[in-house]
Structure formats: C-alpha cells, structure tokens
Amino acid sequence: MLMLVNCSNCHTPLQLPPGANSIRCVLCRAVTLIAAADPRSTPLPSASSSYHHHHHNHYQQQPTTSPSPYNRVPSGPPPQAHGRKRAVICGVSYKNTRYELKGCVNDAKCMKFLLVNRFKFPESSIITLTEEETDPYKRPTKSNIRMALYWLVQGCQPGDSLVFHYSGHGSQKRNYTGDEVDGYDETLCPSDFESQGMIIDDEINATIVRPLPPGVKLHAIIDSCHSGTVLDLPFLCRMDRQGRYVWEDHRPRSGMWKGTNGGEVISFSGCDDDQTAADTSALSRITSTGAMTYAFIQAIERGHATTYGNMLNAMRSTIRNKGEQEGGLVTSLLTMLLTGGSLGGGFRQEPQLTSNEPFDVYKKPFSL
C-alpha cells in the first residue's frame, strides 16, 4: 500500500512505495528519510479512511466528526462501458482582499452544473472548493487544492475521465532550472497564497499529468491569467484567427519529461503565458476571469463541441464578441449567476489549447 508523506524541504505530498525508507522530491530534489514504522506516515485516503493534512511533514488521522471529502469517491463499482468520471472544481474569490474576484464562485457552480447535467458526472464524484464552503476541507487553500489533485488521479483506471477546473488568479515566477521556454513558471494562486505560496506548474504536472496511466483521459479548464501552459504540457496548439494552427514544442531543453505515463491530457486555458507582470502585484489589475469558463460552456451549449478545433474557435469567437446572451439551459443559468462584470470590458486574452501529444484538432472528437 502506498504511503503519503511530505517533502522535508518544500512540503509537497509524496507517494512512498512500500518498504522504502527514503524518497527524493521530484520538485526540489530534497531527500526525505522515513523512520521505520513511523506512525506519522499513513496510507493515502481511501473509501474506508480519512486523513487530515498536517503542515509539519505528516498526515494525522482526523476526528470522525469532520470527515474529509477526499475519502468518498468514486463510490460503487465503475460503469463497465465508459469507466468512472471524477472532477475537482476550484473557484477562488479572495474575498475581502485587494485581489478579490467576483465571478469565480459562480464559475465553479456552473461548471459543476454542466458536468452533472450534460456529461453525467456523479455529484458524489465531484469535489468543489470555494470560499463559500463552511467545511474547512472544501475551501480552496493550497493544502486542500494539493490534496484534491492527488485524490483526482488516485487509483484511476483505463476508461476513466477526469476533469480539473480552476477559476481564480494566476501568476508567474522566474524559473531557474531551464525547463521553461519563456523562463517563467506559471502558477495558480490558492486563497491563502500570500502566507502559503502559490502552486507552480511543475508541481501540477508532477501530480496529475506524469502519473496518468494508459486509457485515462484528463481535461483541465484553467480560467486565469498566465495560464497557457500551467499544466506544463509538452505541446501548445498555436492557432490564428482563421483557424489555422501549428503545434509548438514546449518540451524542456533540460530533457525533463513533462508528458504522461501513457494517459491523455488536454487543457483549455484562459490566455497565453506572455503577459508581462510576473509577480503578485499584477493580481490587483482588472482581469477577465470568468470569460473563458463562460465561453467553454457556451460553445458546448451551442453545439460547437464536435472537435477540439471547433471548440477552441468557438470559445475565441465568443470572447472576441464579448458573448451574445443566448444558448441553452446551462448558459442561461450562467448568465443569471455571473456577477461583478466578469463579461464586461475588452478582452485581450484568447483561450489556448495544450496537450501531452500533438493531434489533428479538426478530426479528434471532443468528449468529457
């Protein structure tokens, strides 16, 4: 049975193979020594147990009065024909801070509605993290987002379909390892990023991309600034306004592997990486957070979700046109829920598509 321990240096959760007495962190390369029969090292969350993330390098069993959401799903036997469906949805509003965003919680609600009603994701197989939640395990803190991402890919099997949706702030940090084409790591900003730090693309890639086994499909929908390559996927679809495209090779010059273990990962993101600000001061600027989520849902509602190329073109067209108020049930719900001018102003960003491998975007059918 795999064990989960924190890196002794950067505190990233690491999966410890059975019998191992040390493990090297894939992010900071520090070696963490594991004492024999260390009671602080406990198995990964399962359907029959629940654990609490403790910040001092271990996981402790939590009181049964406040069950962790990471122990519940997917419940029951998986459907035989198409495998299981599982999703993590994060909407970070940074309430009562100078970074506050108005539309992100609504983005999360609408994405869940879409997955449940259009794509038949079981509600019990969706973890939603927003600041509206009273359960401390369901708030979009750095610790909870990390745990949710580990939960998302844990025990996945051929035929499974996974979704990660994030709506919130994104930023950049200077990269010194040489594995970024533009010299910067892209980051996601949890609700407590000012005290706990951001989640960098290297960690996201190591957590939900590299372990993905054959036959498993993961879609990421990332609605934030600096999000073009936030999953650190090797290939980016560079498409012009006429729909012509080429795949850009973003594999690191260092030779570090950023692909999967045989699975398939495709990411829609809110904009390219090339905005200039690279620190948290950029987060106070007005952003178009919410526009990409709206465009993604509207493209599906309007019947454009035939191929990935058609999806990307439809999303870009919606954002350029600032979104006409029409569509199906989900789009109507979204229009009612959106607040704070998420669709207002001129949009400078265009959605991007990245993948673990190139494919013909006009022939590959879109499916979740």
Side-chain angles (χ1 to χ4, degrees), residues 92-94 98-104 107 166-171 189 223-227 270-271 275 277 279-292 319 338-349:
V92 195
S93 60
Y94 315 93
R98 67 182 185 275
Y99 308 121
E100 185 166 356
L101 295 171
K102 299 296 186 183
C104 297
D107 290 345
Y166 172 89
S167 180
H169 278 305
S171 190
C189 301
D223 198 348
S224 69
C225 291
H226 307 292
S227 57
C271 61
Q275 294 176 294
D279 57 27
T280 57
S281 63
L283 303 185
S284 60
R285 299 186 306 171
I286 296 174
T287 71
S288 60
T289 299
M292 205 282 291
I319 288 182
L338 279 168
T339 59
S342 287
L343 298 177
F347 299 144
R348 298 178 303 278
Q349 298 130 331

Side-chain angles (χ1 to χ4, degrees), residues 119-131:
F119 295 102
K120 308 307 178 186
F121 277 62
E123 286 200 55
S124 61
S125 293
I126 299 175
I127 286 180
T128 304
L129 304 177
T130 71
E131 283 142 297

Side-chain angles (χ1 to χ4, degrees), residues 104-143:
C104 297
V105 173
N106 291 330
D107 290 345
K109 291 178 180 178
C110 294
M111 184 59 65
K112 181 177 180 179
F113 185 91
L114 178 81
L115 293 181
V116 171
N117 291 279
R118 175 57 68 95
F119 295 102
K120 308 307 178 186
F121 277 62
E123 286 200 55
S124 61
S125 293
I126 299 175
I127 286 180
T128 304
L129 304 177
T130 71
E131 283 142 297
E132 284 190 348
E133 297 285 348
T134 56
D135 183 341
Y137 290 106
K138 291 186 177 181
R139 298 178 69 81
T141 63
K142 183 175 184 178
S143 169

